[in-house]
């Protein structure tokens, strides 16, 4: 009996030793990638090491393709034969489709491009790339840059300021500022604008492309092959790990500020508490991701992206890189919350007054461009499918009733602040026409919807409420700003009347 | 010699294997709980798995009761015989005292109640439940809902807003909003308002109670057996772990906003730094909790709740779920800091002007309702007992002198801002009577005590000072708001005089 | 074959067992330190245990000195023979140079001083102490306390406030408040002001020095031997670990508020994301610190302090406790960003108008006192050396171009807000002479540079941009405050004119 257990232990040890020994030793690396690594392992040790620890480096593509069913990570059914025999190394990505990439350049006998795009990744991960192309985020560049109204908001914040004769104006923002502000997250438009020769330590003089808009890893980056987005926004180079994308820190990069306080709300929620306290023992790499076994509280990815199964290996949520197909409402970024847009290209949207907005300034939905209530129902159900794995129906129902009540109430509050703003515009105390966002009182109005109503909705959606919906850029601040706007109007009316006397 | 060590290793391995194998295998689960798990393991895998990893699932009650001394977790001396033989499973909690719970319903032949209450938990954890009943938090519902003045503050923040003829008013808040704002933390009042039949996947049509105020896990929840509070506010379902309650993320759920920035201050303190950097090697499950051995810097629980011992196993701090018995001062939530209330029911308190406040608007303490300086001394000492395990007497003394100086100074600053506010009320520029909290200038006054003086005190108490008491909702912002209030008054005096001309 | 692996496993096990057994058993502890521990292990178990886990406790000094090359931690070439034979225990630090310390007192037959200073640490860590003496932070006390202008800012924030006849004034701050605000981070000036006798539990009546300004661990503390700083600010007592100093939580203690939001920006950056998600598998104790192997994304220490090597063990960055020798620009704390001061003593600096500021109010640099562009180039290169281990030249270049553009642009924005402020002073709507920081409108001006321009620069420098440079105390708030200042001036001009009618 004792002996049996001893040998069990020994076999376990042997297995672990074999596993760790054989794993990296036998994975063939292509000749091209080997040559890359010869120099770059010492020139760029950080990223080479990241890659060496990644799945890309530790399994040959053909072996990865033998995985069947839910555990399969290579979603493409066919991949080029030439890639199958080796690990996915430097060359396998940076040498793909050389003619498609404007930044392809000759580098030590190889045709290399700097910026790997979703269309490159689609070689193996076709399904994810196709899903992502339907994601609002893929269009984040144009959705901001091609919306005349948003461009006014943008200019009012990052434009080059001037003051003359007591008046403030803002000219266009410079490119460097644009690239590190809005377009850091939205993604820049990349352009090859020339070549330069650099004297490198490892290999003497070499020529490289000069890329405008680089560096960038924004979600809607316009790549040099014309494709949209950057997988490395979430699957950080050069590990491209599922683990990182599933942890909430990744989403935090763009979703933490007062305009979109998702991480902040999550971290103070019960789910976030469980994550923070317990995740050291969770398995963030398991595919599919089993509720209860691999993790015991959702991260951002669990609700919005990942393929979830229950203990019986039944699919609870399909993997989606479209993300919004589990979202009935779009709760942030705009004056009012509204049903999600139908198309990821939101530049086509016009409200009843012809403005490029999904609602009127009175809150009416531009229904023609938004999903209908049937689609909302379907999305609500697909989100709730995950909730129901830990919560009873009555809990889930109660949570959603409150959330949808909060959408109505916050829209109602913004109807009031917008009403005050319209009175201010009408009275001529502020100028609507040139730019509705560039005066102090207009910024206070912007605060009410872009920060406070947003924050309240996030707290409701992700935390079921809590302090963040009250005192931390919540209802307290919303009320305060509303009262201050009202006082401002009253004061100016008074001054204006007394001025006229 | 070598052989000896080999066998040592082998025995270690065998021991570990046996431990992990035998542990869950031999714990009997009651027939009722087994039947619950049969369905719910696949219907609600998340919570079932949480429970399976918990102590509740991994020891029979009778075995837990054999633990003697400081390590004992079952504080009740007598528990029902019927529970002793098995682990504490679903049925052991959700079927306790069925007649006491208004939400008890027939479910597959069993009488189940949805909401488990502290009085249920008291079956095994009597001492903790009794202590908690003396905690201010147990009364958090009534303390807010039954205080006419706080109700005005509440309405000014979450009430349904209306604007007409340039004036803002607020009606009562709707129930859904209340439940996800103030009462998310304070706890809702639960009520069974009917029954509903749902078609379940696992078992066809079933009838369930409909509970108003659900879901909720607030600290002062009014339960369906009339008891107060929710143990799962901190001991998160369904692991109910000591580990989670001892980590600061749990307290953060309600103590992170600008009105009560405890977590924020802690995370930027030396203690928080040590926790963040080193806690991966601490033992958060040890009972008692040994200073130095199990942890090397305090978390919230260490100072406020846990049973602490030193290396000689001498008790440093008794376990307390009353919590405020280590607190001489109540530093947040109200206009002035003041000695702790004597009774956890604060609705009985009246200041010298008959208002339901622990101080006058001039800062004088409503001493009749507050602990006296002798009790303050005792509480100070019981808190300092923990400090002294890592800090010399001079350090601890210096820290507390600064903290109590800060209480005086911040109360002094608030006396000034309240003085300005009173001048404003007296001049008729704002209306005290209807609601002292519902105008813009009143909100600015509220900022000074509810955010800034609070924040300063937290930074002092928990961090020994630092940036959070200066620039992050600290003295800087307090001064700024004070100056703005003063300017506001001066401007309105000027306008009022010029208007009269 | 199988047998071979079994024995491999067994030997591995034996090795681990031996390693852990032999480690602490054989380290000699000095007689004096042993005597300290006899009492303090039970009186102060927290700090004794911290020390016992530290390197100081686990290697005799002479053995630590046998380490050669980059791994060496004892940078002094010569240390007193008397210390060499034992671990670095209580006595080895608290009994060093007794005559130099004003707080030396007789304690159970030993001459002990309470406050260990960098000059004590220099006994073994000479190089680090010398580097640190060139760090701005070493002079943080005088740089604040001896700058007449900063003293006005200080008084406007923490001074004792008074209101009379509608006017606010601020007297000097009290010592307790000073010690827990500005000087918590900057460091206090310590003074022995007497002795006191305390009845101790362990040893009856004992006499101790009374130290003004204690406790404190600020970076520029003026110690009782006249030395400057506190190593334990970062190398927290009593583990003094490299691990803690390398984790960003340590820097967060002083660098997280809106005036210096370094941690906040880092935590939302790609680097911070990688740290948060992956650091559990990093080695924070390795010296030197190998990029890629020991860590895969920089923490604060990696860029600003640590000795970094690449995979070929070539030095990438020399260790520096001066810190600013990798920094071309000083981006926070003052009205404009500017080249770093030449001397760590900034009290000598005068701008063209004779003010103790590194720039004029019009932004012109006080070049005589600041590093020149050649030195800036050298520092830029020494910082970039680290970047280049994970990023291609074009990435690094693009990043720095944006950052230096942002320095220019934010300085330009502050030139406008300062211009408005000067118009306000000139018009007599605020008083420049008494104190340029103590009126409400002056605080709003202070917001623009001390919070918003700062925040924008941190987001650029450490995150390459992102939301924190836009919506979280960023360009949005900078613009808003600027517009509000302009409106304020316009309103006061209007009122002033109408008042004159």
């Amino acid at each position: 009996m004792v002996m049996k257990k001893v040998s069990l232990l020994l076999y376990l040890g042997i297995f672990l030793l074999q596993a760790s020994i054989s794993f990296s030793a036998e994975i063939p690396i292509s000749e091209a990638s080997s040559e890359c690594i010869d120099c770059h392992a010492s020139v760029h040790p950080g990223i080479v090491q990241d890659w060496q620890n990644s799945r890309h480096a530790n399994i040959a593509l053909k072996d990865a393709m033998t995985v069947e069913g839910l555990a399969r990570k290579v979603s493409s059914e066919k991949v080029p034969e030439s890639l199958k025999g080796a690990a996915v190394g430097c060359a396998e990505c940076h040498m793909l489709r050389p003619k498609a990439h404007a930044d392809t350049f000759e580098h030590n006998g190889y045709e290399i491009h700097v910026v790997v795009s979703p269309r490159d990744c689609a070689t193996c991960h076709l399904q994810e790339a196709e899903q992502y192309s339907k994601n609002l985020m893929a269009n984040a560049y144009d959705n901001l840059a091609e919306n005349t109204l948003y461009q006014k908001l943008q200019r009012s914040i990052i434009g080059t300021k001037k003051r003359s004769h007591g008046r403030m104006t803002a000219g266009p923002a410079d490119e460097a500022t644009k690239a590190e502000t809005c377009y850091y997250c939205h993604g820049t438009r990349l352009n090859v604008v020339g070549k330069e020769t650099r004297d490198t330590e490892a290999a003497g003089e070499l020529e490289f492309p000069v890329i405008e808009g680089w560096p960038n890893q924004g979600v809607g980056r316009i790549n040099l092959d014309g494709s949209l987005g950057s997988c490395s926004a979430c699957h950080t180079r050069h590990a491209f790990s599922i683990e990182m994308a599933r942890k909430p820190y990744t989403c935090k990069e763009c979703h933490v500020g007062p305009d979109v306080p998702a991480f902040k709300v999550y971290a103070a929620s019960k789910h976030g508490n469980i994550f923070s306290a317990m995740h050291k023992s969770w398995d963030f790499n398991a595919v599919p991701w089993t509720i209860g076994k691999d993790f015991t509280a959702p991260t951002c990815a669990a609700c919005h992206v990942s393929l979830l199964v229950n203990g019986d290996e039944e699919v609870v949520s399909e993997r989606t890189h479209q993300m919004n197909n589990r979202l009935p409402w779009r709760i942030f970024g705009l004056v009012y919350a509204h049903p999600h847009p139908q198309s990821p290209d939101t530049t086509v949207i016009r409200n009843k007054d012809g403005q490029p907005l999904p609602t009127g300034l009175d809150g009416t939905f531009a229904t023609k461009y938004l999903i209908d209530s049937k689609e909302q129902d379907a999305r609500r159900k697909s989100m709730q499918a995950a909730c129901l794995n830990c919560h009873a129906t009555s809990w889930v129902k109660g949570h959603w009733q409150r959330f949808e009540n909060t959408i109505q109430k916050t829209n109602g509050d913004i109807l009031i602040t917008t009403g005050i703003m319209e009175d201010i515009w009408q009275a001529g105390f502020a100028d609507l026409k040139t730019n509705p966002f560039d005066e102090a009182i207009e910024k206070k109005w912007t605060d009410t919807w872009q920060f406070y109503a947003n924050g309240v909705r996030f707290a409701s959606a992700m935390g079921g409420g809590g302090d963040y919906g009250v005192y931390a850029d919540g209802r307290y601040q919303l009320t305060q700003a509303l009262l201050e706007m009202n006082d401002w109007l009253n004061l100016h009316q008074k001054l204006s009347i007394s001025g006229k006397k």
Side-chain angles (χ1 to χ4, degrees), chain A:
Chain A
M1 170 67 179
V2 166
M3 269 320 292
K4 226 170 167 180
K5 269 173 187 162
V6 172
S7 37
L8 215 167
L9 178 73
L10 293 181
Y11 280 110
L12 185 76
I14 293 159
F15 171 77
L16 288 173
L17 273 174
Q18 286 184 318
S20 68
I21 289 168
S22 65
F23 205 36
S24 50
E26 289 172 30
I27 309 302
I29 292 173
S30 70
E31 209 184 290
S33 289
S34 293
E35 212 171 324
C36 300
I37 294 167
D38 281 348
C39 285
H40 284 276
S42 53
V43 177
H44 295 123
I47 51 181
V48 171
Q49 189 66 44
D50 251 356
W51 170 79
Q52 262 160 352
N53 295 331
S54 77
R55 182 168 172 87
H56 276 172
N58 287 291
I59 189 165
L61 180 48
K62 69 172 164 17
D63 295 329
M65 293 184 73
T66 61
V67 178
E68 290 296 336
L70 298 176
R72 184 174 173 120
K73 282 154 216 92
V74 180
S75 64
S76 304
E77 291 189 16
K78 285 187 64 169
V79 303
E81 283 302 318
S82 58
L83 297 174
K84 283 189 174 168
V88 177
C90 323
E92 283 62 37
C93 300
H94 285 278
M95 286 171 56
L96 270 181
R97 307 162 52 245
K99 280 180 193 141
H101 293 279
D103 58 335
T104 298
F105 67 111
E106 192 280 329
H107 186 63
N108 298 317
Y110 292 102
E111 287 196 296
I112 303 287
H113 58 282
V114 176
V115 185
V116 175
S117 80
R119 219 171 276 158
D120 294 331
C121 302
T123 306
C124 296
H125 304 287
L126 183 61
Q127 218 168 75
E128 289 73 19
E130 281 179 350
Q131 288 171 347
Y132 188 73
S133 71
K134 295 177 200 152
N135 189 322
L136 268 174
M137 297 202 283
N139 281 60
Y141 180 88
D142 271 3
N143 284 350
L144 174 56
E146 299 298 325
N147 186 310
T148 51
L149 207 55
Y150 301 175
Q151 281 303 298
K152 288 186 177 181
L153 178 59
Q154 179 185 307
R155 179 183 286 208
S156 80
I157 300 169
I158 64 168
T160 304
K161 290 163 190 57
K162 247 191 200 161
R163 177 172 173 249
S164 72
H165 305 290
R167 273 193 68 83
M168 290 300 314
T169 53
D174 62 283
E175 290 303 317
T177 297
K178 282 167 66 180
E180 72 164 45
T181 53
C182 315
Y183 300 93
Y184 174 89
C185 290
H186 279 249
T188 55
R189 173 188 289 281
L190 302 181
N191 268 312
V192 175
V193 292
K195 298 201 168 187
E196 66 172 7
T197 301
R198 289 201 303 266
D199 194 14
T200 69
E201 238 180 86
E205 286 209 341
L206 290 174
E207 201 179 52
F208 299 92
V210 178
I211 303 169
E212 194 182 62
W214 188 250
N216 181 264
Q217 53 209 353
V219 294
R221 190 179 66 199
I222 301 188
N223 297 302
L224 293 165
D225 63 353
S227 69
L228 302 176
S230 162
C231 301
S232 64
C234 304
H235 297 282
T236 297
R237 283 158 305 152
H238 276 90
F240 310 105
S241 81
I242 294 175
E243 176 174 7
M244 274 192 75
R246 280 179 176 170
K247 288 188 174 167
Y249 313 115
T250 287
C251 309
K252 180 183 182 180
E253 279 187 56
C254 291
H255 296 259
V256 68
D259 53 319
V260 44
F263 181 86
K264 225 181 283 186
V265 163
Y266 175 75
S269 73
K270 185 59 94 183
H271 288 163
N273 173 12
I274 301 174
F275 166 78
S276 297
M278 312 308 282
H279 80 264
K280 65 174 191 297
S281 62
W282 296 358
D283 183 349
F284 284 91
N285 285 306
V287 174
W289 215 14
T290 305
I291 298 171
K293 182 170 148 279
D294 296 326
F295 66 102
T296 59
T299 64
C300 313
C303 295
H304 296 290
V305 188
S306 302
L307 169 63
L308 306 182
V309 300
N310 63 19
D312 303 336
E313 297 199 23
E314 292 163 341
V315 172
V316 169
S317 308
E318 299 277 358
R319 181 184 298 117
T320 170
H321 284 70
Q322 177 181 337
M323 300 190 191
N324 62 27
N325 51 357
R326 298 185 197 162
L327 296 175
W329 298 99
R330 191 168 171 221
I331 62 172
F332 79 98
L334 284 150
V335 185
Y336 297 94
H338 52 275
H340 248 278
Q342 288 170 27
S343 161
D345 172 7
T346 62
T347 60
V348 299
I349 298 174
R350 291 294 174 276
N351 69 11
K352 62 186 166 99
D353 300 312
Q355 295 165 308
L357 290 174
T359 72
L361 280 184
D362 61 355
T364 50
F365 300 148
T367 44
K368 190 180 151 191
Y369 303 94
L370 309 179
I371 60 171
D372 59 20
S373 62
K374 209 179 127 191
E375 173 67 14
Q376 282 193 298
D377 275 348
R379 294 187 178 193
R380 195 180 286 113
K381 281 211 182 78
S382 89
M383 177 64 94
Q384 291 176 347
C387 313
L388 287 163
N389 276 269
C390 292
H391 297 287
T393 304
S394 64
W395 183 290
V396 175
K397 223 164 132 181
H399 172 86
W400 278 79
Q401 275 170 351
R402 288 178 193 160
F403 169 51
E404 305 211 337
N405 176 68
T406 289
I407 286 178
Q408 281 200 324
K409 296 285 167 184
T410 49
N411 275 359
D413 290 344
I414 296 307
L415 188 62
I416 298 178
T417 68
T418 306
I420 300 174
M421 197 62 235
E422 285 182 318
D423 287 355
I424 291 170
W425 283 322
Q426 204 131 31
F429 301 140
D431 168 34
L432 166 65
K433 282 208 182 140
T434 326
N435 189 332
F437 308 114
D438 68 347
E439 300 178 56
I441 188 66
E442 290 165 342
K443 287 257 168 289
K444 198 176 278 293
W445 167 62
T446 309
D447 290 347
T448 65
W449 48 269
Q450 197 165 22
F451 296 161
Y452 311 139
N454 268 2
V456 166
R457 292 183 205 119
F458 273 106
S460 177
M462 296 170 50
D467 204 26
Y468 265 109
V470 184
Y471 283 121
D473 287 350
R475 288 166 180 88
Y476 180 89
Q477 284 77 12
L478 175 48
T479 307
Q480 187 168 38
L482 187 157
L483 294 171
E484 286 176 358
M485 286 180 70
N486 203 44
D487 274 14
W488 191 96
L489 172 56
N490 289 341
L491 177 67
H492 280 71
Q493 281 170 335
K494 198 174 163 182
L495 290 174
S496 158
I497 290 161
S498 94
K500 281 174 192 156
K501 272 191 289 193

